[in-house]
Amino acid sequence: MEEQLRILKMLEEGKITAEQASELLAALTPQKEVGAASYEVAKTEPVNMDYDKRMVRIVVDSSEGDKVNVQLPVTAIRQILKVTGKLPVVSENMQGIELTEVLDTVVDCLDAEAIGDIVNVVSKAGDVVKIYIG
């Protein structure tokens, strides 16, 4: 936990980028196997710092060569989830990725006002989905 706070402090001070902070936090995160994909689930703690203004980043790299990088404020993601029940850009045809589990994890983390890596998914087919809040 102390290491996570140090990383967040360095990010706040501008010593590292959000991407570097995300990578460092991910290195501290345990992984578990579920079905055909490997899921990395962050241990996160609530942070009360204008949470709705933080950015949710979604990176998709499909095995078919599609690459998507979306960055939206937490408020926008909450509204999208409320209206559509889906995350933007996460494709239904990604093989081996349990999208309901990913969606449930994102909703739980948003409710808990978590920051850092939320989910890193790598399917056997080579599809990659990364979602983090910075």
Side-chain angles (χ1 to χ4, degrees):
M1 167 127 131
E2 188 176 318
E3 293 87 5
Q4 292 169 332
L5 292 175
R6 283 187 198 154
I7 293 167
L8 295 175
K9 185 70 175 170
M10 290 189 310
L11 176 62
E12 181 180 76
E13 293 171 350
K15 293 180 179 178
I16 59 174
T17 66
E19 187 173 332
Q20 290 169 324
S22 176
E23 290 173 7
L24 290 170
L25 289 168
L28 298 173
T29 304
Q31 286 193 352
K32 64 179 183 175
E33 293 288 326
V34 179
S38 170
Y39 290 78
E40 197 172 288
V41 180
K43 293 180 182 177
T44 56
E45 295 185 20
V47 175
N48 298 323
M49 186 189 309
D50 276 340
Y51 186 74
D52 285 341
K53 293 180 182 175
R54 291 187 178 274
M55 300 303 281
V56 176
R57 291 172 176 84
I58 303 170
V59 179
V60 178
D61 186 5
S62 80
S63 59
E64 296 174 2
D66 299 323
K67 294 183 186 290
V68 180
N69 190 354
V70 175
Q71 178 175 313
L72 294 168
V74 167
T75 304
I77 294 294
R78 284 183 173 166
Q79 289 300 320
I80 290 168
L81 288 171
K82 184 186 275 186
V83 172
T84 67
K86 298 179 187 176
L87 287 171
V89 306
V90 177
S91 174
E92 295 291 330
N93 64 356
M94 296 186 81
Q95 299 175 16
I97 297 177
E98 294 292 331
L99 293 178
T100 54
E101 284 185 38
V102 171
L103 183 61
D104 290 345
T105 300
V106 170
V107 169
D108 290 346
C109 289
L110 289 173
D111 289 345
E113 296 189 355
I115 59 171
D117 272 30
I118 295 192
V119 176
N120 285 330
V121 181
V122 180
S123 75
K124 286 184 179 178
D127 297 317
V128 177
V129 177
K130 295 181 181 186
I131 303 170
Y132 54 98
I133 301 173

